[in-house]
Amino acid sequence: MEDLRNLADPNESPFFPLLSKRILHRHLDEGWPGLLRRIVDASEKAEMLYDESDKDEYIIKLRKTLENSEFLPNSPLMVNISEDKKKIFACFALDARKPINEFLNVARQVHDGMGGVGYTLNHLKAPGEIKNFIQLFDKDTEEHQSGRPRPASNAVTVSINNPGFIGILQQAGKTKVTNLNVGIPDSFMEKVRRSDSEALEKFNMVAESIHRTGQPAILFTDRVPNVALEENAPIAANVCGESPLAADESGLLGSLNLVKFIRSNETDLSFDFEKFIETVRIGVRFLDGMHDIHYHSSPQLKKNTLSTRKIGVGLMGYAHLLILLGIRYGSEESIRLAEEIGKALMQGAQEESTRLAYKRGVYPAALSNNINREKKRNALLVAIAQTSTLSLLVNTSSGIEPINGYLTKQNILDDTIYILDPILAYTVQKLGLNPDDVKNLLLGGIELSNVIGEKLAYLFPRALDIKPEEHIEVQAAFQKSIDGGISKTLNCSFSTNVEEIKQWIQLGHEKGLIGFMIYRDNSLKSQPIEVIK
């Protein structure tokens, strides 16, 4: 297990030399240990605001957790934690009803701090108005990218019941930095089931757009937690869709690396739920404290955010965990484990947020709105992101996604690299094979089963090897217990037809998903990750 532990060390990641320029920013000379020290120092300052007797014990645990790469905060925190104005949150929803210059000014500040902006346009009722706003904001964001640690991005949501919703479909495949979401209420899905002609026409338009461009993503709006300081405030998904926020509100995320919770005995490997829950609680306490040191880009953002103190403790490395435990992604056993992990994740988060509520107070919006719920410090606790940067740093699979391929060509900043999946490299080394030799065999067209045997190759299904229904079942298993959303893509083959896409949207709704994205292979000219066939 020692070599497996070293695998999660960012200094051992082939991506770290490239990502370090962004993540370490102006502190490149201090390396990864220096970054962890700055994060712990910031947490200590946050802890000083509260009278808790176990501060020293908590800081020791936090430091160890970070050093072991068991938990990492979102990228903006790592980049900006040492700045005077600590813009450390990743997820934002802004109020697009405001004057456009005011909206753009705040959005630029958020983007400069590496935050992503979500917004809804349901106040606009004409397709042209919706289309023009999306185009304007998309262009403005792109024009201000210079000097930012990473390119900024946005996400817009428009209800399928909006008279002008066609405006969002007209932008599908055309935006440069904006993700498109269509909001679908339960009542609309009921009309689809009853074969209502108008609903079926709109539903077909959405499915055709997804088939053609991979957009829009689906958001089942009645399942989005609507907790905010102001009653009836517009709710928008963040860029990746996993963090539901009210207009002019923000939150931050952190993720646990599931591979780090594998324990071994003399005969087999298993998942350490006790250690996992303890680490979830450390993550909740850390993220809650960051609310007290974050620099807000507007007074309204500060007011709304501190009223709910939303956080999102999430996961990464699920696919790699399964491989190491000898479980195939999408199997019944993988679905049962996903449900157990999701339940434990929510349990640990609720326990710690309740404890913090008694020590530090409940989130203020609960008091002002007389919300009769269990005492909590944070209105929302769990959000499972895709963890693109974090998973690369610790050499693990993204979020709860399956692996994309055995060998991928990936563009990181201005560089292109080829890499064998880390757990596949680990596996072939255990077999006494050279990973570079295996890489060359795969590039030469040799099947993985002919390299490592069918039994082992069976444990390495790629995203396109997994049935769409299995993608949905896995996501539904995690969603069953948690209070936030999940960023998840249902990958399907190029031969997929529109009717199949409609069936999967209906199945996702039946299974209780909050939202998801369907992507037909090669439906976009440029894919961020190219799987080597």
Side-chain angles (χ1 to χ4, degrees):
M1 290 289 288
E2 187 61 37
D3 46 355
L4 189 58
R5 281 190 284 269
N6 292 337
L7 186 66
D9 182 350
N11 291 300
E12 299 296 322
S13 169
F15 299 100
F16 185 66
L18 301 173
L19 291 174
S20 62
K21 300 171 186 176
R22 175 204 300 170
I23 296 297
L24 302 181
H25 203 32
R26 291 194 289 269
H27 303 273
L28 195 60
D29 58 327
E30 296 181 24
W32 185 253
L35 171 60
L36 300 188
R37 183 177 62 253
R38 295 192 298 276
I39 294 174
V40 172
D41 287 347
S43 187
E44 282 189 290
K45 291 178 182 177
E47 287 290 316
M48 293 298 292
L49 299 173
Y50 302 101
D51 183 22
E52 294 197 51
S53 59
D54 65 341
K55 292 176 187 175
D56 292 342
E57 180 183 354
Y58 158 73
I59 291 298
I60 291 171
K61 289 181 179 179
L62 174 65
R63 182 179 290 110
K64 183 178 180 182
T65 295
L66 294 170
E67 289 174 348
N68 291 340
S69 299
E70 294 165 350
F71 168 84
L72 288 177
N74 53 216
S75 297
L77 188 146
M78 291 193 281
V79 173
N80 298 321
I81 195 63
S82 301
E83 302 297 310
D84 292 334
K85 296 180 178 179
K86 300 184 190 304
K87 296 184 177 181
I88 56 179
F89 284 22
C91 305
F92 293 78
L94 298 185
D95 194 344
R97 299 172 300 179
K98 291 185 174 181
I100 188 62
N101 288 336
E102 181 181 346
F103 175 86
L104 291 177
N105 178 56
V106 175
R108 290 168 191 161
Q109 293 183 56
V110 168
H111 286 147
D112 288 345
M114 293 179 62
V117 173
Y119 63 103
T120 179
L121 294 179
N122 285 327
H123 62 290
L124 303 180
K125 304 301 179 184
E129 290 180 308
I130 291 173
K131 178 181 175 181
N132 290 341
F133 192 104
I134 295 171
Q135 288 179 333
L136 185 153
F137 187 27
D138 190 74
K139 182 179 179 181
D140 186 84
T141 302
E142 190 180 18
E143 289 177 346
H144 289 82
Q145 299 287 36
S146 178
R148 290 171 176 158
R150 70 175 177 187
S153 56
N154 310 311
V156 57
T157 303
V158 176
S159 172
I160 200 167
N161 287 333
N162 186 315
F165 106 99
I166 188 67
I168 199 171
L169 299 187
Q170 292 171 344
Q171 289 303 108
K174 297 178 181 178
T175 56
K176 298 291 182 62
V177 294
T178 303
N179 300 321
L180 309 177
N181 303 319
V182 61
I184 304 180
D186 292 341
S187 58
F188 181 88
M189 293 304 297
E190 179 58 33
K191 289 180 180 179
V192 170
R193 277 189 283 274
R194 296 201 313 263
S195 297
D196 177 88
S197 58
E198 183 180 353
L200 287 177
E201 182 181 2
K202 289 183 177 181
F203 194 52
N204 195 66
M205 290 168 63
V206 170
E208 287 181 342
S209 179
I210 292 171
H211 183 266
R212 187 176 66 255
T213 69
Q215 293 184 320
I218 302 298
L219 186 67
F220 296 120
T221 48
D222 288 338
R223 293 166 184 179
V224 175
N226 190 358
V227 184
L229 177 61
E230 296 183 13
E231 205 170 343
N232 300 319
I235 299 293
N238 72 311
V239 168
C240 291
E242 72 281 342
S243 184
L245 298 166
D248 282 338
E249 188 180 43
S250 59
L252 76 164
L253 311 177
S255 298
L256 283 78
N257 181 1
L258 292 174
V259 173
K260 300 296 294 188
F261 299 95
I262 292 177
R263 61 184 175 190
S264 62
N265 55 35
E266 295 179 358
T267 58
D268 58 9
L269 303 177
S270 61
F271 189 77
D272 191 339
F273 281 95
E274 184 177 351
K275 180 183 177 183
F276 175 73
I277 291 174
E278 180 184 2
T279 308
V280 170
R281 297 187 66 157
I282 293 170
V284 168
R285 183 167 177 173
F286 171 79
L287 294 177
D288 179 71
M290 294 300 99
H291 268 279
D292 299 312
I293 65 174
H294 171 70
Y295 177 82
H296 295 274
S297 297
S298 76
Q300 195 63 43
L301 271 170
K302 182 176 182 179
K303 179 182 178 182
N304 290 344
T305 301
L306 288 177
S307 73
T308 57
R309 303 183 72 92
K310 291 177 182 176
I311 61 174
V313 182
L315 309 169
M316 55 183 164
Y318 172 64
H320 280 174
L321 171 72
L322 293 178
I323 294 169
L324 292 167
L325 295 180
I327 303 171
R328 181 181 168 88
Y329 193 108
S331 66
E332 289 187 8
E333 191 175 359
S334 76
I335 293 166
R336 284 196 300 271
L337 182 59
E339 188 171 329
E340 291 171 359
I341 291 174
K343 184 177 180 180
L345 176 62
M346 193 64 197
Q347 175 190 332
Q350 285 181 316
E351 288 174 353
E352 183 61 18
S353 190
T354 298
R355 190 195 71 80
L356 290 172
Y358 281 99
K359 292 287 185 178
R360 304 176 180 183
V362 299
Y363 64 92
L367 299 174
S368 61
N369 292 337
N370 294 317
I371 298 174
N372 183 24
R373 294 177 179 169
E374 178 187 12
K375 290 187 71 170
K376 293 191 299 183
R377 177 66 171 167
N378 318 93
L380 291 179
L381 297 167
V382 172
I384 301 178
Q386 287 203 339
T387 66
S388 300
T389 299
L390 296 189
S391 57
L392 292 175
L393 280 173
V394 297
N395 245 1
T396 197
S397 54
S398 173
I400 63 165
E401 299 283 12
I403 62 174
N404 280 290
Y406 311 136
L407 182 68
T408 58
K409 180 177 76 172
Q410 185 154 1
N411 298 316
I412 304 276
L413 303 180
D414 296 325
D415 295 289
T416 299
I417 61 176
Y418 295 85
I419 184 171
L420 198 64
D421 177 83
I423 295 300
L424 179 54
Y426 169 81
T427 300
V428 299
Q429 284 178 310
K430 287 290 187 184
L431 295 174
L433 302 175
N434 186 309
D436 288 333
D437 292 341
V438 172
K439 183 191 302 185
N440 291 331
L441 288 171
L442 294 175
L443 282 170
I446 303 299
E447 293 291 334
L448 182 63
S449 59
N450 292 329
V451 179
I452 64 174
E454 290 188 8
K455 186 176 181 180
L456 272 179
Y458 179 75
L459 299 177
F460 285 86
R462 296 158 294 187
L464 285 171
D465 297 328
I466 297 164
K467 295 177 182 178
E469 294 81 6
E470 293 173 341
H471 279 280
I472 292 170
E473 291 285 0
V474 167
Q475 183 175 348
F478 279 107
Q479 189 69 71
K480 188 173 182 179
S481 298
I482 69 173
D483 61 352
I486 299 172
S487 181
K488 176 80 178 73
T489 300
L490 187 161
N491 299 86
C492 55
S493 69
F494 182 75
S495 62
T496 293
N497 61 47
V498 173
E499 288 303 314
E500 288 174 316
I501 290 173
K502 290 192 286 189
Q503 291 170 13
W504 297 331
I505 295 173
Q506 289 178 290
L507 180 61
H509 183 261
E510 292 168 8
K511 292 294 182 178
L513 303 188
I514 289 180
F516 64 118
M517 179 179 181
I518 299 174
Y519 180 70
R520 185 171 65 96
D521 192 38
N522 289 318
S523 59
L524 291 179
K525 293 180 181 179
S526 175
Q527 298 186 157
I529 297 177
E530 181 182 344
V531 179
I532 307 302
K533 303 296 184 183

